[in-house]
DNA sequence: AAGCTGGCCTACT
DNA sequence: CAGTAGGCCAGCT
């Protein structure tokens, strides 16, 4: 996919600022909810920079940028929103396969890094974490729903507090820093 | 091209 | 329980 003409827009939803980066009819990156526009932009610029060098997945859109921001905002607040399925120029890319597995986790559920690796017949647990660390589409690809095998939260770009909040809003039960699974 | 770096895991104190 | 050494493996320098 060509990545000239990347358009970044920002928007406010429920008091927080979000940024999205689009290229023609696809989203290539989005930010988490941030307290001001500058932070949202900082968030996304880091991704955009990387995406020029490497191949990352993207998602087709058929709405305006402002609707897009709103949908991402909804996700941030734990409301389900449908997005088109993930695409990638190289379907065999390890990171893409990780992200694809992760995008299948429904709202309100969690999976462990190990479970994701096992689905791919791999024992590359660390590599799974690595791939998620570079997730260019947080929320859309719900990497916050991936936790450690001992059911502790594990890391998150936006910090583990934010990860906890996101999961709670999706109805996941958490005691201390341990997820309760039934 | 050979290390280094992680959003990890297991096993052991 | 809590902490950690040593093992993993893909990607990046």
């Amino acid at each position: 996919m060509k990545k000239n003409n990347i358009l970044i827009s920002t928007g406010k939803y429920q008091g927080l600022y979000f940024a999205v980066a689009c290229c023609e009819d696809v989203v290539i990156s989005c930010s988490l909810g941030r307290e001001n526009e500058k932070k949202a932009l900082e968030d996304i610029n880091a991704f955009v920079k990387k995406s020029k060098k490497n191949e990352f997945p993207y998602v087709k859109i058929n709405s305006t940028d402002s609707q897009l921001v709103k949908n991402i905002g909804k996700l941030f607040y734990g409301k389900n929103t449908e997005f088109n399925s993930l695409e990638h120029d190289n379907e065999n890319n390890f990171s893409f396969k990780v992200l694809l597995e992760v995008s299948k986790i429904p709202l309100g559920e969690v999976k462990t890094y190990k479970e994701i690796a096992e689905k791919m017949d791999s024992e590359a647990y660390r590599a799974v974490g690595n791939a998620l660390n570079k997730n260019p589409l947080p929320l859309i690809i719900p990497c916050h729903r991936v936790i450690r095998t001992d059911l502790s939260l594990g890391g998150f770009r936006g910090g583990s507090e934010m990860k906890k909040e996101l999961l709670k809003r999706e109805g996941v039960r958490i005691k201390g820093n341990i997820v309760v699974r039934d």
Side-chain angles (χ1 to χ4, degrees):
Chain A
M1 196 189 96
K2 284 181 202 157
K3 281 172 207 146
N4 20 351
N5 260 344
I6 297 175
L7 218 68
I8 297 178
S9 45
T10 59
K12 197 175 177 184
Y13 183 82
Q14 303 271 311
L16 288 179
Y17 293 82
F18 296 85
V20 289
C22 297
C23 195
E24 317 223 333
D25 63 339
V26 302
V27 205
I28 61 169
S29 186
C30 65
S31 73
L32 295 162
R34 303 253 103 128
E35 65 212 36
N36 57 50
E37 194 174 34
K38 189 169 166 239
K39 287 197 174 165
L41 284 171
E42 274 171 17
D43 233 20
I44 209 165
N45 280 329
F47 282 124
V48 169
K49 213 164 136 192
K50 281 183 202 157
S51 77
K52 285 185 179 157
K53 264 176 78 178
N54 303 77
E55 295 192 320
F56 283 105
Y58 44 88
V59 167
K60 281 219 171 63
I61 42 166
N62 35 21
S63 61
T64 65
D65 286 359
S66 62
Q67 282 171 315
L68 188 57
V69 165
K70 192 176 159 193
N71 285 339
I72 292 166
K74 279 187 179 172
L75 279 177
F76 192 79
Y77 287 102
K79 282 179 252 173
N80 205 9
T81 311
E82 292 292 324
F83 279 90
N84 288 321
S85 49
L86 278 191
E87 296 181 42
H88 194 288
D89 292 340
N90 173 12
E91 309 237 320
N92 286 317
N93 185 73
F94 178 86
S95 303
F96 174 60
K97 289 197 251 177
V98 170
L99 297 172
L100 205 55
E101 273 314 315
V102 172
S103 63
K104 292 181 195 161
I105 308 173
L107 187 139
E109 290 181 26
V110 293
K111 278 205 160 48
T112 68
Y113 294 100
K114 188 180 180 183
E115 285 164 354
I116 298 294
E118 281 171 349
K119 280 239 170 187
M120 306 168 46
D121 290 317
S122 165
E123 294 183 351
Y125 318 129
R126 286 213 82 138
V128 168
N130 256 349
L132 261 32
N133 181 28
K134 291 172 192 123
N135 175 12
L137 295 162
L139 305 170
I140 296 177
I141 301 173
C143 58
H144 58 284
R145 296 181 194 147
V146 186
I147 60 173
R148 291 193 185 160
T149 298
D150 64 2
L151 304 186
S152 65
L153 290 169
F156 188 59
R157 283 189 74 84
S160 57
E161 269 312 301
M162 187 187 280
K163 186 170 185 173
K164 190 174 176 177
E165 287 308 309
L166 288 171
L167 289 174
K168 277 186 172 174
R169 288 199 286 257
E170 296 184 355
V172 174
R173 286 176 44 225
I174 301 174
K175 273 209 154 130
N177 282 311
I178 301 293
V179 172
V180 183
R181 288 221 275 196
D182 19 49

